[in-house]
Amino acid sequence: MTQVEIGRGKNGRRAYALDEIGIVPSRRTRDPEEVSISWQIDAYRFELPLVVSPMDSVVSPATAIEIGRLGGLAALDLEGLWTRYEDPASLLEEVATLDEEAATRRLQEIYTAPIQDELIARRIGEIRAAGVTTAVRLSPQRTVQHHKAVIDAGVDIFVIRGTTVSAEHVSGRAEPLNLKQFIYELDVPVIVGGCATYTAALHLMRTGAAGVLVGFGGGASHTTRNVLGVVVPMATAISDVAAARRDYMDESGGRYVHVIADGGMGGSGDIAKAIACGADAVMVGSPLARAAEAPGRGFHWGSEAHHPDLPRGRRVEFGTIGTLEQILHGPSSVADGSMNLMGALRRTMATAGYSDLKEFQRVEVVVAPPQP
């Protein structure tokens, strides 16, 4: 593994972002209609390898239902507005009208309202009643407090997601969440993350998680790199975690843990390259924030944006380009990779000659400097 000398006292490994690599076609091509992009985790099968990020600007009970009907999975943020307020519609409308200077402070104020277990049960019930797979998200800090309400409500997939989640959190102030014990005691599959290194991913896989999120979440709306200086480019992070998955399969006697790329994918080409690097599925937010049905009304923000002490995200304006169905399945009226995301993935796989996602993970890639 090549180390680059940063200075006499520090070396570092060269890492690559998704826009620094390219997919290499093979000797054969396929008809895009004969390519399968279906994905299964635990007992749940989806037509699309897509998990929509648990962000209030993208996922409401209504959009979670619609995304489920379109073949994907959406995770509702149980620390968001839908579990703090009976009807957050007026607040979502207000957030869309704030000027840039006032946005962060007002978001902090709005999210001080307490999370209500009664609303957790109601929102999960709304999604379940529509007959789609129900996924919800809590942070590690809130999981112990609210997980019983989640399980009692009948959730299908539990997402434990933070900026950085480890299997060994050290705290002298409070008893940390014991992920291994917690996941073992649950009767539902758990997706946990984020992580960005081989070692961290391997430890999370050993907790019994069904899936591991790669990345720090937030994508286009987070400022973690600026605030904390923490960053691992996604192409390298996904490849490292995919290597951990392979080695954990050997270690565990064949147990497969799904790798889900989380954040940093703004268009269809990024999604294809994430899977080429070894991801089984992707978690995206900003591409769907442009949908006409999105609760953010063309604006996008994550939980990092309203942290009470140290915000590591911001509200970003993307505007609206089409419906959820058009963004996922087309037809596209633009040539920038922001619409017909799943159709583009099928075409990439067909161009490279692969018929399903597991095969496509073996595609050749090259280092290709990003175009200006």
Side-chain angles (χ1 to χ4, degrees), residues 56 79-81 84-85 91 94-95 98 101-115 142 301 303 305-309 311:
D56 280 341
E79 298 175 29
L81 298 178
R84 297 174 190 263
Y85 298 93
L91 292 171
E94 178 190 350
V95 171
L98 295 171
E101 291 185 5
T104 297
R105 183 178 297 277
R106 182 58 180 144
L107 284 171
Q108 289 175 313
E109 293 171 351
I110 290 171
Y111 283 88
T112 58
I115 299 167
R142 302 270 193 176
W301 67 93
S303 58
H306 54 78
H307 191 281
D309 302 315

Side-chain angles (χ1 to χ4, degrees), residues 1-337:
M1 195 172 293
T2 304
Q3 293 284 319
V4 177
E5 183 180 292
I6 296 170
R8 293 191 179 188
K10 180 69 71 174
N11 291 338
R13 182 161 62 106
R14 175 69 167 93
Y16 296 94
L18 291 172
D19 65 357
E20 294 179 281
I21 67 164
I23 294 168
V24 180
S26 66
R27 63 181 176 84
R28 67 163 62 92
T29 57
R30 294 183 182 274
D31 186 329
E33 297 302 317
E34 297 177 2
V35 170
S36 170
I37 59 172
S38 64
W39 171 60
Q40 181 163 337
I41 182 168
D42 203 84
Y44 302 99
R45 185 181 185 277
F46 305 95
E47 293 304 312
L48 311 178
L50 174 82
V51 185
V52 182
S53 297
M55 295 169 144
D56 280 341
S57 54
V58 182
V59 181
S60 65
T63 57
I65 292 167
E66 180 63 14
I67 289 161
R69 288 173 174 162
L70 291 170
L73 175 68
L76 183 70
D77 185 8
L78 295 186
E79 298 175 29
L81 298 178
W82 295 96
T83 57
R84 297 174 190 263
Y85 298 93
E86 289 276 346
D87 184 2
S90 62
L91 292 171
L92 289 163
E93 186 175 349
E94 178 190 350
V95 171
T97 64
L98 295 171
D99 62 54
E100 190 170 343
E101 291 185 5
T104 297
R105 183 178 297 277
R106 182 58 180 144
L107 284 171
Q108 289 175 313
E109 293 171 351
I110 290 171
Y111 283 88
T112 58
I115 299 167
Q116 303 175 46
D117 283 352
E118 178 187 343
L119 288 176
I120 288 177
R122 188 186 306 176
R123 303 312 184 197
I124 292 173
E126 290 173 18
I127 301 170
R128 281 181 59 83
V132 301
T133 304
T134 306
V136 298
R137 172 263 180 187
L138 285 171
S139 66
Q141 296 85 351
R142 302 270 193 176
T143 294
V144 173
Q145 181 181 357
H146 297 291
H147 79 275
K148 189 176 186 303
V150 174
I151 300 303
D152 289 348
V155 75
D156 296 314
I157 297 176
F158 199 152
V159 180
I160 301 175
R161 179 181 186 256
T163 303
T164 303
V165 177
S166 73
E168 296 185 39
H169 180 68
V170 178
S171 175
R173 296 182 300 161
E175 185 67 25
L177 174 66
N178 185 326
L179 276 174
K180 189 169 186 177
Q181 179 181 346
F182 179 81
I183 292 173
Y184 177 79
E185 293 174 353
L186 290 181
D187 291 328
V188 300
V190 177
I191 296 172
V192 62
C195 67
T197 67
Y198 171 94
T199 302
L202 193 58
H203 280 268
L204 288 179
M205 291 172 185
R206 288 169 178 162
T207 67
V212 171
L213 298 171
V214 184
F216 300 116
S221 66
H222 84 70
T223 57
T224 301
R225 178 172 186 164
N226 295 336
V227 177
L228 301 183
V230 174
V231 61
V232 180
M234 280 295 285
T236 295
I238 295 167
S239 300
D240 284 350
V241 175
R245 175 187 59 203
R246 177 198 62 212
D247 292 349
Y248 178 69
M249 282 188 68
D250 293 339
E251 174 188 305
S252 63
R255 183 173 182 271
Y256 191 91
V257 179
H258 292 264
V259 172
I260 303 169
D262 179 11
M265 290 161 288
S268 54
D270 294 329
I271 292 172
K273 287 188 280 188
I275 294 173
C277 286
D280 297 287
V282 298
M283 176 176 275
V284 298
S286 60
L288 283 304
R290 298 178 171 93
E293 303 96 321
R297 295 165 171 79
F299 288 86
H300 185 47
W301 67 93
S303 58
E304 303 89 354
H306 54 78
H307 191 281
D309 302 315
L310 190 65
R312 300 180 301 281
R314 62 181 181 271
R315 187 201 59 166
V316 180
E317 183 174 9
F318 284 117
T320 300
I321 61 172
T323 65
L324 282 170
E325 184 169 6
Q326 288 172 326
I327 291 172
L328 290 178
H329 294 300
S332 174
S333 58
V334 294
D336 60 2

